[in-house]
Amino acid sequence: QVQLVESGGGLVQAGGSLRLSCAASGRTFSSSAMGWFRQAPGKEREFVAACSWSGAIADYSDSVKGRFTISRDNAKSTVSLQMNSLKPEDTAVYYCAGYSGPFYRLTSPPPYWGQGTQVTVSS
C-alpha cells in the first residue's frame, strides 16, 4: 500500500511563489520516480514535472519550465515542487504521483496518486 499526501497549496497573487510538498509512505519510495500533475477547471489532468529515484534526472512541461523545480528528500520520504513566478494559468489542483520504477514514464499515467491540493493564482 502506497499513500501520498500533498500540502502547501493556497491562494497567491500572480508573480508570487508557493512550495508544495508530498509526504509518501511505503518501503520503496527511495527507489521510485516521483512526479507532479495538475488539473485546471474544465481541463484534463496534465503532466507538470517528474524526477528519477535519486532526483538527478528531471523533466518539466514546457508551460512551467524555468519557473518550477521538483526536488526530493529520500531520507524524509518527501518530494517538493517549488513554484515561482506564478501565473493565473497555473491555477489547478496539483497531484503528487508515484511511479512503479526508478525512472518515470511520460507515455502512461503513474500508478499512485495523492488526493490533490488546490493552488489558486489571482491576477
Side-chain angles (χ1 to χ4, degrees), residues 22-43:
C22 174
S25 64
R27 57 185 295 183
T28 62
F29 173 82
S30 62
S31 60
S32 300
M34 299 293 293
W36 289 93
F37 290 71
R38 68 185 182 186
Q39 187 166 19
K43 303 292 182 63

Side-chain angles (χ1 to χ4, degrees), residues 1-83:
Q1 183 74 274
V2 176
Q3 291 185 329
L4 305 173
V5 181
E6 303 95 335
S7 63
L11 176 64
V12 64
Q13 294 185 43
S17 298
L18 278 177
R19 185 176 180 87
L20 305 182
S21 294
C22 174
S25 64
R27 57 185 295 183
T28 62
F29 173 82
S30 62
S31 60
S32 300
M34 299 293 293
W36 289 93
F37 290 71
R38 68 185 182 186
Q39 187 166 19
K43 303 292 182 63
E44 293 188 352
R45 189 172 300 185
E46 66 175 351
F47 169 80
V48 175
C51 66
S52 63
W53 69 277
S54 67
I57 303 172
D59 267 290
Y60 301 89
S61 67
D62 289 340
S63 62
V64 308
K65 195 171 300 181
R67 299 187 298 120
F68 291 10
T69 303
I70 187 172
S71 62
R72 64 191 296 158
D73 186 338
N74 286 347
K76 296 182 178 180
S77 296
T78 59
V79 60
S80 299
L81 185 69
Q82 178 66 46
M83 305 184 294

